[in-house]
Amino acid sequence: MAGTQLNVLVSLDQAKTQWYHFMAIVIAGMGFFTDAYDLFCIALVTKLLGRIYYTDPTASTPGTLPPSVSAAVNGVALCGTLAGQLFFGWLGDKLGRKSVYGFTLILMVLCSVASGLSFGHTAKSVIATLCFFRFWLGFGIGGDYPLSATIMSEYANKKTRGAFIAAVFAMQGFGILFGTIVAIVVSAAFRNAYPAPSYAVDPVGSLVPQADYVWRVILMFGTIPAALTYYWRMKMPETARYTALIAKNTKQAAADMSKVLQKEIEDEHEEVQRQVVAGDNWGLFSAQFVRRHGLHLVATTSTWFLLDIAFYSQNLFQKDIFTKVGWIPEAKTMNAIEELFRIARAQALIALCGTIPGYWFTVALIDIMGRFWIQLMGFLMMTVFMIALAVPYEHWTHPAHHTGFVVLYGLTFFFANFGPNSTTFIVPAEIFPARLRSTCHGISAAAGKAGAIVGAFGFLYAAQDPKKPDHGYAPGIGIRNALFVLAGTNLLGTVMTLLVPESKGKSLEEISKENVDEEAA
């Protein structure tokens, strides 16, 4: 069948930017705000957890999480996210985008609160409970990736679709920043209310009992903005592309979008309805999918995998890098809450100056430059800045050069977000047919989380000093060599980007060749 474009889809593609677009961005974006808050705030509190549950007062330095515990706390939510992306991505194509959208939010809110209420009489039981709830938190977060991206791409017009999907993803930046602000405010309040000496002066006195409340408050606080959007999530109608192309109900799709667009949309002629009902039905494991979209799936999965190795290792272990180059003082010169305050302040600066501007540069320019060129440029610039950090690494460790290190480090975040971190999220929501769109986005995102797990677990061990590793760790290759490895993954990402198709300015059906005969394709 030569692809006949339905009236309702033409209306969506040609719709002017209006209030419902911004509502959709906020509703979908608040999920990502919470996602980023929950996934990255754990990096802020891991040093505090080490002090609370693993400090030996007779030791010369404060306690830190043992290697296996640190890997579990940092990585378990990522494992849950990977599983959630695959499961909810598939479910979004089977039951509808809206049907499971509210459930993912409820799961995120409940498990985020439960993480903060982790209980137990021993360090082991507290950490085990925390990891259990963070896995299921990650599972809910995972569902938000394919569902939010697919919903936004299917609601948007073709002229500004890239900017709208990028704006949803850009809420991650505000989530990361909000996490650091909450940590700064909470730690400053507790620091002033319960003054304590540094660990070097008084190992026992440096950790006040009230510090155990600090990390719990921080973990739970991110649920508030997401919980507030639940009502509006439930009020959103199912996307017209799901209703018309998958559920085959063109009349309902036209009725739903007439309300959303506030204009009358004519129902289709019987012949067009018959063509839609008789449209393509080949699946993910068919020869047709491999022929039409096999390379596309290789491109989206490989680039997201390679990007997240670098992106998550940088994000989750900023605090360790800052300590190694001397931007944050040695742990023993501070009390427990002061250390959290300093880490949060450093990460807030990186989020404000590098992370957030990068996201919004993408929003502003993606429908001008296109997805392909932004992704290629981002990977290339990340490679350049990683090498610039790694080659003269000893130079950056001297106190006089810390500012230069932080500027270059911030630029790698800027070009990650004005680059592949945004585009790897956008492209899979555009280039696959409607009945497989959520599934393929989930597979692509899960490949990304596999990369994040490699980054989170691998960097933890690889970055250890070859001569003086942290307590409990085997010698690694050191931060300098780890930065070279990350530069290599970014360079490989640049190469794999060459397989990514450009989707700027085209309708979703045109890009995915939806309902087009094999000969026409």
Side-chain angles (χ1 to χ4, degrees):
M1 171 187 112
T4 306
Q5 185 77 319
L6 300 171
N7 287 335
V8 64
L9 304 187
V10 172
S11 298
L12 278 170
D13 280 341
Q14 295 175 354
K16 290 179 181 173
T17 301
Q18 24 187 307
W19 178 245
Y20 90 89
H21 286 121
F22 295 109
M23 280 296 290
I25 288 169
V26 171
I27 293 164
M30 270 305 145
F32 270 91
F33 179 98
T34 303
D35 297 350
Y37 183 100
D38 287 328
L39 282 180
F40 294 115
C41 72
I42 197 69
L44 293 167
V45 300
T46 46
K47 291 225 172 192
L48 181 60
L49 288 170
R51 289 219 192 203
I52 293 170
Y53 297 110
Y54 293 93
T55 288
D56 175 5
T58 61
S60 59
T61 54
T64 56
L65 294 179
S68 57
V69 174
S70 182
V73 168
N74 279 302
V76 71
L78 299 177
C79 296
T81 304
L82 188 155
Q85 286 163 337
L86 291 172
F87 177 70
F88 287 110
W90 169 79
L91 213 56
D93 284 334
K94 292 296 173 194
L95 301 182
R97 288 65 160 123
K98 185 203 166 181
S99 303
V100 284
Y101 205 33
F103 180 71
T104 60
L105 189 71
I106 291 171
L107 193 58
M108 283 157 52
V109 169
L110 291 179
C111 292
S112 190
V113 172
S115 296
L117 298 175
S118 297
F119 49 82
H121 295 295
T122 63
K124 194 173 181 181
S125 57
V126 171
I127 298 295
T129 312
L130 175 63
C131 287
F132 173 81
F133 286 122
R134 281 191 65 78
F135 175 86
W136 290 107
L137 167 67
F139 194 70
I141 288 172
D144 235 45
Y145 274 73
L147 294 172
S148 289
T150 302
I151 285 169
M152 199 65 240
S153 75
E154 293 183 346
Y155 262 110
N157 61 53
K158 65 182 180 182
K159 188 179 175 187
T160 55
R161 185 180 58 241
F164 289 157
I165 307 173
V168 169
F169 197 61
M171 296 300 280
Q172 265 200 345
F174 290 121
I176 293 169
L177 179 64
F178 186 63
T180 61
I181 290 169
V182 169
I184 288 168
V185 170
V186 172
S187 58
F190 274 79
R191 184 183 62 176
N192 294 335
Y194 307 102
S198 69
Y199 185 88
V201 173
D202 182 358
V204 176
S206 69
L207 180 66
V208 294
Q210 293 79 6
D212 196 44
Y213 295 117
V214 174
W215 68 270
R216 297 174 186 276
V217 171
I218 293 169
L219 290 188
M220 289 193 282
F221 208 85
T223 62
I224 296 170
L228 295 175
T229 63
Y230 179 76
Y231 171 77
W232 286 282
R233 259 192 198 209
M234 293 296 91
K235 293 285 281 180
M236 286 177 86
E238 182 55 84
T239 72
R241 284 178 164 92
Y242 180 86
T243 307
L245 299 175
I246 303 175
K248 312 290 189 188
N249 189 342
T250 57
K251 187 175 280 189
Q252 184 63 50
D256 286 343
M257 291 307 108
S258 291
K259 289 177 191 169
V260 168
L261 295 171
Q262 296 181 330
K263 64 176 265 193
E264 192 62 39
I265 298 172
E266 283 185 35
D267 195 14
E268 311 299 331
H269 296 301
E270 281 185 26
E271 175 60 21
V272 176
Q273 290 187 26
R274 188 189 63 74
Q275 287 183 344
V276 169
V277 171
D280 291 334
N281 57 11
W282 42 262
L284 184 66
F285 300 105
S286 65
Q288 289 96 322
F289 179 85
V290 172
R291 199 156 40 244
R292 292 190 189 185
H293 299 293
L295 265 183
H296 294 164
L297 194 59
V298 169
T300 58
T301 51
S302 60
T303 51
W304 208 336
F305 174 80
L306 293 163
L307 175 273
D308 272 7
I309 291 175
F311 187 72
Y312 275 81
S313 58
Q314 277 181 280
N315 253 306
L316 291 173
F317 301 105
Q318 280 183 64
K319 60 190 183 305
D320 304 305
I321 292 172
F322 291 154
T323 303
K324 291 265 171 47
V325 298
W327 206 40
I328 296 172
E330 279 190 74
K332 64 184 178 184
T333 64
M334 301 176 280
N335 64 48
I337 297 175
E338 173 70 21
E339 184 178 31
L340 171 62
F341 176 82
R342 297 279 191 118
I343 292 168
R345 192 174 61 179
Q347 294 199 13
L349 191 62
I350 290 290
L352 209 52
C353 299
T355 305
I356 290 174
Y359 282 116
W360 291 98
F361 264 73
T362 301
V363 174
L365 296 173
I366 191 158
D367 288 312
I368 299 168
M369 290 176 64
R371 289 73 163 143
F372 174 82
W373 289 110
I374 285 180
Q375 184 162 312
L376 195 72
M377 173 201 67
F379 267 129
L380 210 51
M381 296 305 286
M382 286 172 72
T383 307
V384 169
F385 287 118
M386 288 282 191
I387 291 170
L389 287 170
V391 173
Y393 180 72
E394 293 305 319
H395 167 84
W396 300 121
T397 59
H398 297 300
H401 306 136
H402 290 168
T403 304
F405 178 90
V406 171
V407 168
L408 286 179
Y409 195 65
L411 282 168
T412 64
F413 278 104
F414 175 81
F415 281 105
N417 295 312
F418 180 34
N421 193 41
S422 296
T423 53
T424 52
F425 176 79
I426 295 164
V427 172
E430 299 181 311
I431 64 175
F432 299 105
R435 67 188 174 283
L436 298 171
R437 186 169 291 135
S438 180
T439 303
C440 289
H441 195 286
I443 292 168
S444 304
K449 280 300 163 287
I453 292 163
V454 171
F457 288 89
F459 194 82
L460 187 66
Y461 293 93
Q464 293 300 318
D465 192 295
K467 294 179 181 138
K468 288 195 300 179
D470 292 342
H471 178 68
Y473 288 86
I477 58 174
I479 285 185
R480 181 173 187 262
N481 289 327
L483 289 169
F484 275 123
V485 171
L486 295 182
T489 62
N490 291 328
L491 188 60
L492 195 53
T494 310
V495 174
M496 296 307 294
T497 296
L498 300 175
L499 298 175
V500 173
E502 182 55 75
S503 49
K504 180 182 78 168
K506 299 176 184 175
S507 78
L508 295 176
E509 288 66 45
E510 184 186 351
I511 304 160
S512 64
K513 297 184 171 62
E514 188 107 28
N515 291 340
V516 173
D517 285 338
E518 199 69 27
E519 294 78 29

